[in-house]
């Protein structure tokens, strides 16, 4: 059993790590705020991984850590193509300045611990985070998408890479192109290394990729969803029992979890689930049922019947049920419809160079009111 003294010591260590992490994050990212942490999550995780080993601090030196950190810092100040004229857009004053320590240029091209092991590969990931609120009547009340294009480069030589996006890609409502098939976003910002001279006309991004990972482009779509929400939930709550029924409108979703708040004082849970791979548990600490579905086939309908024992149940207790929240991962999907039309490398890579383009949508906040 831990003594008060040892617990106090652990708190000290935790605070020390926290303060050092804040300092290092500022060194690498320039500022410490929610947005910069979100944009540089991979970098911060990598810093912590190198700094702490099995709970013990290994080093807090920026000069030492820079030799192992492969992820590029992304600045938190976005700019909008919609708000800027083309004259200023490509000028130095509108480009985001990289706020990495000046010694970062001396980093080795690739860490000896790289998971790719020097393979002749390049990965382009289109990652979107979806925030949705659906009313109790099933009407979509809020829908926001935040997305980014990440490049992970493990090529020995690559002077330039050209990434072609949807030709009907538009930024802001005034730039709408085509009839009905356009992919639209509200705001868009780019890494300072991206050349945009072919973007306005041909929707092509040009960049000389550095070894490791870079976020080339970030975009946002607010209060609009071009497609139907991926999940619909049809909850019913009754005093004798409560049930949950949900269906998926997209191809297979992975790692789906449904959290259903229950009245305080809930004691036990009995359940009837529609497939054997599902699980459900009553989390007394969080006062919620967690319904887990590892794999949710597209177009499927899954149901669950939950019975919760609640002593002295009242009408007010029923109001504590909900809202329901979901988390999930949608591989091979983008909610905005953004696609990589082509990926060309210059000069042509010798031998076999593999190019991988991947799409994934994650839930950021997906809430259904009851």
């Amino acid at each position: 059993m831990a003594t008060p003294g040892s617990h106090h010591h652990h708190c000290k260590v935790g605070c020390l790590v926290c303060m050092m992490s804040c300092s290092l994050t500022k060194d690498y990212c320039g500022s410490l705020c929610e947005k910069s942490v979100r944009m540089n999550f991979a970098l911060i995780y990598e810093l912590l991984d190198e700094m702490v080993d099995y709970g013990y601090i290994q080093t807090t030196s920026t000069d030492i850590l820079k030799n192992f950190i492969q992820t590029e810092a992304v600045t938190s100040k976005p700019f909008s193509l919609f708000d800027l004229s083309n004259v200023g857009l490509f000028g130095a004053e509108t480009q985001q300045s990289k706020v990495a320590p000046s010694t970062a240029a001396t980093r080795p091209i690739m860490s000896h611990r790289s998971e790719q092991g020097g393979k002749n590969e390049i990965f382009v990931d289109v990652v979107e985070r979806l925030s949705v609120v659906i009313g109790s009547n099933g009407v979509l009340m809020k829908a926001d998408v935040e997305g980014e294009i990440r490049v992970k480069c493990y090529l020995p030589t690559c002077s330039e890479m050209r990434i072609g996006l949807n030709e009907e890609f538009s930024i802001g409502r005034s730039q709408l192109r085509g009839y009905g098939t356009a992919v639209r976003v509200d705001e868009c910002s780019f890494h300072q290394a991206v050349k945009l001279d072919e973007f306005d006309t041909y929707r092509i991004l040009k960049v000389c990729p550095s070894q490791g990972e870079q976020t080339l482009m970030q975009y946002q779509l607010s209060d609009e969803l071009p497609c139907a929400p991926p999940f619909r939930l049809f909850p019913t709550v009754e005093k004798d029992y409560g049930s949950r029924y949900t269906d998926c409108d997209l191809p297979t979703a992975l790692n789906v979890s449904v959290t259903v708040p229950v009245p305080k004082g809930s004691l036990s849970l009995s359940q009837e689930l529609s497939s054997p791979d599902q699980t459900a548990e009553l989390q007394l600490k969080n006062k919620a049922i967690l319904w887990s579905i590892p794999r949710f086939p597209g177009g499927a309908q899954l149901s669950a019947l939950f019975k919760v024992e609640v002593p002295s149940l009242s009408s007010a207790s029923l109001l504590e049920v909900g809202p329901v929240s979901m988390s999930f991962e949608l591989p091979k999907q983008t909610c905005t419809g953004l696609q990589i039309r082509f990926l060309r490398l210059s000069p042509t890579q010798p031998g076999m160079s593999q190019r991988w383009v991947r799409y994934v949508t994650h839930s950021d906040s997906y809430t259904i009111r009851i």
Side-chain angles (χ1 to χ4, degrees):
M1 185 172 72
T3 63
S6 65
H7 174 72
H8 187 60
H9 174 68
H10 290 160
C11 289
K12 276 186 175 179
V13 171
C15 294
L16 182 64
V17 171
C18 181
M19 286 187 292
M20 290 175 176
S21 301
C22 292
S23 175
L24 281 166
T25 302
K26 287 180 181 177
D27 282 349
Y28 272 83
C29 304
S31 64
L32 186 61
C33 62
E34 182 181 347
K35 187 163 187 178
S36 67
V37 169
R38 190 167 65 240
M39 293 168 66
N40 291 282
F41 179 80
L43 169 62
I44 293 169
Y45 186 89
E46 198 174 347
L47 277 169
L48 288 170
D49 191 42
E50 296 291 350
M51 188 174 74
V52 181
D53 195 13
Y54 294 102
Y56 294 95
I57 297 173
Q58 301 301 307
T59 181
T60 58
S61 166
T62 302
D63 286 340
I64 293 175
L65 287 168
K66 75 178 189 296
N67 294 314
F68 301 104
I69 304 302
Q70 293 299 307
T71 308
E72 294 283 342
V74 181
T75 55
S76 62
K77 183 183 178 184
F79 63 86
S80 169
L81 282 180
F82 179 56
D83 294 334
L84 295 171
S85 67
N86 285 341
V87 175
L89 177 60
F90 308 117
E93 72 277 8
T94 63
Q95 297 296 318
Q96 303 173 57
S97 56
K98 185 185 291 184
V99 280
S102 58
T103 52
T106 62
R107 291 186 311 207
I109 286 179
M110 189 181 296
S111 167
H112 63 282
R113 306 189 323 168
S114 169
E115 63 186 23
Q116 301 302 326
K119 291 180 182 176
N120 204 13
E121 294 178 307
I122 191 160
F123 299 86
V124 178
D125 293 342
V126 181
V127 182
E128 293 189 351
R129 293 174 297 280
L130 178 62
S131 298
V132 162
V133 176
I134 299 174
S136 56
N137 57 357
V139 174
L140 184 64
M141 302 177 66
K142 177 196 171 190
D144 296 331
V145 181
E146 287 189 359
E148 58 187 24
I149 298 176
R150 300 178 194 157
V151 171
K152 205 176 255 189
C153 179
Y154 299 101
L155 299 176
T157 57
C158 180
S159 60
E160 187 175 78
M161 176 175 63
R162 297 168 81 240
I163 301 175
L165 307 182
N166 310 60
E167 291 180 317
E168 300 301 320
F169 180 76
S170 61
I171 302 155
R173 294 187 181 275
S174 70
Q175 288 193 8
L176 283 176
R177 304 172 167 200
Y179 298 93
T181 59
V183 174
R184 192 187 74 79
V185 299
D186 290 317
E187 290 192 18
C188 196
S189 60
F190 303 92
H191 190 280
Q192 64 171 11
V194 176
K195 300 172 187 174
L196 299 170
D197 52 293
E198 290 187 64
F199 182 77
D200 192 47
T201 304
Y202 302 109
R203 294 312 192 216
I204 294 173
L205 307 176
K206 294 196 301 186
V207 67
C208 299
S210 58
Q211 295 288 322
E213 185 174 350
Q214 284 178 302
T215 298
L216 297 188
M217 170 177 150
Q218 293 178 304
Y219 55 94
Q220 184 172 346
L221 178 62
S222 300
D223 300 321
E224 190 177 333
L225 206 58
C227 55
F231 288 95
R232 291 181 295 168
L233 191 69
F234 304 94
T236 60
V237 181
E238 297 183 16
K239 197 166 183 179
D240 293 330
Y241 64 86
S243 65
R244 296 288 173 272
Y245 159 73
T246 183
D247 72 89
C248 175
D249 284 344
L250 288 174
T252 301
L254 303 176
N255 304 319
V256 179
S257 65
V258 183
T259 303
V260 186
V262 294
K264 58 179 177 288
S266 298
L267 293 178
S268 63
L269 169 70
S270 62
Q271 57 197 307
E272 295 175 22
L273 304 175
S274 58
S275 66
D277 62 333
Q278 300 176 48
T279 59
E281 61 174 317
L282 176 61
Q283 299 180 327
L284 295 175
K285 183 178 179 182
N286 300 326
K287 298 194 290 290
I289 298 168
L290 180 63
W291 177 17
S292 300
I293 309 162
R295 188 175 182 275
F296 201 136
Q301 297 179 348
L302 301 181
S303 62
L305 175 65
F306 301 127
K307 294 181 181 179
V308 181
E309 181 187 348
V310 185
S312 62
L313 183 68
S314 65
S315 300
S317 299
L318 291 177
L319 297 177
E320 297 177 38
V321 180
V324 177
S325 60
M326 297 185 70
S327 67
F328 51 84
E329 178 181 319
L330 299 172
K332 304 179 183 177
Q333 290 292 319
T334 58
C335 288
T336 59
L338 181 66
Q339 298 284 314
I340 302 297
R341 191 161 35 103
F342 62 77
L343 175 59
R344 294 174 187 154
L345 305 175
S346 174
T348 305
Q349 294 297 305
M352 289 292 291
S353 65
Q354 300 203 16
R355 286 168 268 185
W356 306 93
V357 177
R358 302 181 288 197
Y359 303 92
V360 63
T361 295
H362 295 283
S363 58
D364 198 6
S365 171
Y366 199 96
T367 305
I368 301 102
R369 295 178 180 174
I370 295 180

